[in-house]
Amino acid sequence: MPDRVNKAEITCTVNGETLSLKAYPMARLLDVLRQELRLTGTKEGCGEGECGACSVWIDGEIANSCLVPVLQVAGSEIKTIEGIATGEQLHAVQEAFISCGGAQCGICTPGMVMAAVNLLERTPHPSETEIRMGLAGNLCRCTGYMKIFEAVVRACQATGVKA
Amino acid sequence: MKKHLIGRPVPRKEGRAKVTGQARYVDDLVFPGMLYGATVRSRVPRGRIKGISFGEGIPWHEFTIVTAKDIPGENYVALIAHDQPYLADGAVNHSEEPVVLLAHPEKYLLEEARRAVQLEIEALRPTFTIEDSLNKKEIIWGEDNLFKSYSVEKGNVDEVWARADFIVEGEYRTGAQEQLYIETNGMIAVAIPEKGVTVWGSMQCPYYVHKALMALFGLPADKVRVIQSETGGGFGGKEEYPSMIAGHAALLAWKSGKPVKIIYDRAEDMAATTKRHPSRTRHRTAVSKDGKLLGMEIDFVIDGGAYTTLSPVVLSRGTIHAPGPYFCPNVRIRSRAVATNAPPHGAFRGFGAPQSIFALERHLNRVARAIGLTPEEFRRRNFIQPGQTTATGQVIRENVNMNHLLERALVLSDYHAKTARFARENSGQRRKKGMGFASFMHGAGFTGSGEQYLASVVELEATPQGRVRVLAASTEIGQGTNTIFSQIAADALGLDYDSIEILKPDTASVPNSGPTVASRTCMVVGKLVEAAALGLQQTLVGSGYLPEGYTPAGFERACKRYIESHGPLKSSSQYQPPPGIHWDDATYYGDAYGTYAWAVYVAEVTVDTVTFEIEVNDFVAVQEVGKVIHPVLAAGQIEGGVAQAIGYALYENVVWNEGRMFNSQMTNYIMPTAVDVPPIRVFFEELPYSYGPAGAKGLGELPMDGAAPAIVNAIENATGVSIHHIPVMPESLMEALAVTEKAVERA
């Protein structure tokens, strides 16, 4: 970005840690996460908000980080794929993605897991339609989605809630 | 020792890294002092380069600039022919052709600079269609615009027309399709003239890139190193084009002395890299009144784009699959791959077969109707049987039973009851429902003598700790290479899954096990893994260190003792063709493939006759694939392939404008989402194949072949409208329905 634009100081929380960043205000949140914070689990698939590979949570809402200027997240709480497991303990959705075959090439997987966990936090017992709608913003070219749907269902079962 | 992993859904080897975001793809890698690279492209579909100028307002002295004259070796992408330059020199033949490369540490400035490079190109008349190319309106490639042609002759097709009870003709077309892996193409290169060239990147075929870089830089094999980073999908789209990007990154690195990263954004990836070949197929079919095929004449043409790339081999597979899983005594196939001024078309799952099978499976429904049989009864009378010969004279030796697959698929989809019910209920309804199916096969591994030429090698190496490493160039691109190789090696050696390590493909340390294409990784390379594992075991047994009925602990002790007294414990295995396989390239006659996977797919659709939307409501995929190594991965391949083929049939429309992809965005090139796909129900039949690991065959491409014709057959069943091209966009359905209504009014 040209020198005429000054970097701004932005404070936000990322995966529970409060950070003070210097970034160009219109820099994409995606680039700040990947390049400044080296949180490369968030992927770029299209750069135009279609594929969902860059999905993160901003104050609990799922968002395409490629469409969010970093200035907009000042004061916000951000969660990325790196914040989903608890230490070595994977989240039930991550476990289910492994056991059901929900991840193939893996490039959509972080975004897909962010969307699936977000869905289950809002709707602990989703119907099939709710699962499909909840993941409709995340494109997967490998699986045909069947194993991803299965993984979401298995994750509900694993967390002890009955659909 | 125990054998217990094959056939079980063990966890994906690299699954944990993928679900936690820890897997490292090329764009996740950063090198100190790294520059970013960008490509300036022709924008003119055909012409002569008159000049290159660099616009004002850009600090050009900060940039590394590479043109054709900077190339140290040969200016072609080494593959089949040597016609495609790395950087255009004098002539341009498509509008995405690379002409100038730029590198700079600052991405944003790089993009401004890319736009400031002006190419002065004298335009020549371009060719964009198969017809214009065949008619030689302009000669744009070679002497006749033909990259390749084949002719297959069986029996005497000329004498059948006179005695045929029915002769049915038809023409069918398929459009281009973008692979649309979610990770775009990208490479990082380090190149130092006295040391050599190393690249890291997203790819299917490390040794293709290796070969191409050797020619580009005029370097010996040991001065070029290619390392695969985690790869976010390929589907054929990362078979050949990675050689181009690797070369570009390396040229910039060579000149600048710094590491250079080139990552395509989505628009560049969609527009510039290869897509599935558009096709046109003409059928003329002779049938007796009892519904037996007497003769088939097939004219199959694919649009190869501006350069040869893989078109001869795509054409070959499409040609051999064109007559499908049927017996016909007299067959003539003429096929051609033609040049146009579009970016070269290339490998995409199925590799020519989805095109020719779409045509055949639509055409056979037309033939069945003409002779008054149901589509299923007509096929039943003509399915190929063991002992019969294919169009290339291959005797079917395996115990294939297409009738059984058809029956099972029709039962599982409730085909008969549903077709009867829909026929009753559709009348007068706005939303009409229909059922359709397709029967097909897919040859596993390279065509003809391809595997013999490749002569692939796999190595296994044991450590003193009793761990076994698999060394192969076969890439994990999501399909499960790491996992199935581990299962195969572990079972052959009686070890645990976790005792097997798969080395990351790196040409400095793994042998050439061939490209990761053609449904060959499990069947061909997996067999080499199995053989090398057994070789390792024999070495240990022969040395006296490994007792019969050993435990993993016993294996570890044996490895330790062997390595202490004899040094490294390695075993390698090289491809040998199965006995009795013969192929003649000159006459195109013989055993085209060692074996085939066989399938019948059934689709249920709803067509809205007001909005022209088409929904697929249910999908049944029944296939015989030999032994299933991993049921979850195998089903995942079929489900993913069917979803991709639903896109091919209904959504994925590449819009061309003067030879450029006009809709090179995910916003307007539409692939199936989580709300678009039906339940995809997958059923396997397993007839073990003697020359695959544990009896496995290839299956990765199979699902791409049959879904599109099944869906379009279902659309016909629902509406009575016969559509002969894909994708079936709402507007083309609207047109077809209007034509049919007019015909009905006139009648």
Side-chain angles (χ1 to χ4, degrees), chain B residues 418-577:
Chain B
K418 281 187 172 171
T419 36
R421 179 157 63 84
F422 297 158
R424 277 196 315 274
E425 294 175 355
N426 275 345
S427 173
Q429 294 293 317
R430 162 183 163 174
R431 288 165 59 86
K432 298 183 190 299
K433 295 182 67 80
M435 302 291 286
F437 72 93
S439 319
F440 56 102
M441 80 300 186
H442 197 93
F446 263 44
T447 305
S449 34
E451 290 294 343
Q452 271 169 280
Y453 289 127
L454 283 176
S456 298
V457 176
V458 166
E459 284 174 17
L460 259 61
E461 184 179 8
T463 70
Q465 293 75 37
R467 295 183 68 74
V468 173
R469 295 189 181 124
V470 178
L471 285 74
S474 304
T475 50
E476 169 66 60
I477 54 174
Q479 83 287 43
T481 304
N482 294 342
T483 306
I484 59 165
F485 281 3
S486 299
Q487 290 174 281
I488 293 166
D491 265 14
L493 290 164
L495 299 177
D496 297 329
Y497 181 59
D498 292 336
S499 319
I500 312 296
E501 290 172 21
I502 309 295
L503 245 67
K504 200 84 186 144
D506 171 348
T507 57
S509 53
V510 302
N512 189 354
S513 61
T516 302
V517 304
S519 308
R520 66 184 295 278
T521 300
C522 178
M523 185 181 92
V524 177
V525 188
K527 186 69 180 173
L528 299 178
V529 171
E530 187 185 62
L534 294 173
L536 197 76
Q537 189 184 45
Q538 274 166 15
T539 303
L540 285 174
V541 170
S543 68
Y545 299 132
L546 194 64
E548 266 189 48
Y550 61 86
T551 61
F555 183 82
E556 183 184 332
R557 277 194 300 278
C559 290
K560 193 162 192 283
R561 288 177 63 193
Y562 183 97
I563 292 163
E564 278 170 5
S565 29
H566 302 285
L569 174 50
K570 281 190 171 187
S571 164
S572 84
S573 177
Q574 182 159 31
Y575 176 80
Q576 297 292 333

Side-chain angles (χ1 to χ4, degrees), chain B residues 151-349:
Chain B
S151 72
V152 174
E153 289 278 348
K154 179 190 182 188
N156 182 356
V157 83
D158 292 323
E159 62 88 31
V160 301
W161 310 113
R163 62 185 168 90
D165 296 306
F166 299 93
I167 296 171
V168 184
E169 296 184 11
E171 181 181 299
Y172 307 88
R173 288 174 186 265
T174 61
Q177 187 187 19
E178 164 58 30
Q179 292 87 355
L180 214 69
Y181 31 70
I182 306 294
E183 180 207 29
T184 57
N185 270 288
M187 287 281 168
I188 301 177
V190 172
I192 298 160
E194 55 276 19
K195 286 188 178 165
V197 173
T198 304
V199 298
W200 291 257
S202 185
M203 68 185 81
Q204 292 176 227
C205 311
Y207 276 95
Y208 280 9
V209 178
H210 189 258
K211 176 184 166 183
L213 292 177
M214 282 168 64
L216 176 64
F217 287 92
L219 287 171
D222 63 346
K223 295 278 195 228
V224 175
R225 184 176 174 191
V226 179
I227 304 165
Q228 185 215 5
S229 50
E230 198 71 68
T231 297
F235 315 110
K238 293 173 185 172
E239 174 168 353
E240 76 192 66
Y241 210 88
S243 299
M244 178 74 87
I245 307 172
H248 288 168
L251 287 169
L252 287 165
W254 186 269
K255 190 161 181 185
S256 66
K258 293 182 175 162
V260 174
K261 180 193 260 192
I262 297 181
I263 306 288
Y264 283 4
D265 68 14
R266 180 58 62 184
E268 183 171 30
D269 193 294
M270 289 178 84
T273 74
T274 59
K275 289 173 270 297
R276 186 186 301 286
H277 290 71
S279 77
R280 184 195 80 185
T281 309
R282 289 177 175 160
H283 274 273
R284 186 168 188 235
T285 309
V287 193
S288 68
K289 60 178 179 298
D290 59 347
K292 288 275 192 185
L293 285 168
L294 299 175
M296 297 169 98
E297 196 167 23
I298 306 170
D299 177 60
F300 177 55
V301 191
I302 61 174
D303 171 357
Y307 296 109
T308 309
T309 64
L310 292 163
S311 290
V313 235
V314 172
L315 184 69
S316 161
R317 188 174 280 271
T319 302
I320 292 168
H321 286 72
Y326 306 98
F327 175 73
C328 182
N330 305 290
V331 181
R332 173 177 296 149
I333 312 169
R334 183 180 186 213
S335 66
R336 290 163 288 179
V338 301
T340 62
N341 295 110
H345 295 296
F348 189 165
R349 192 182 211 161

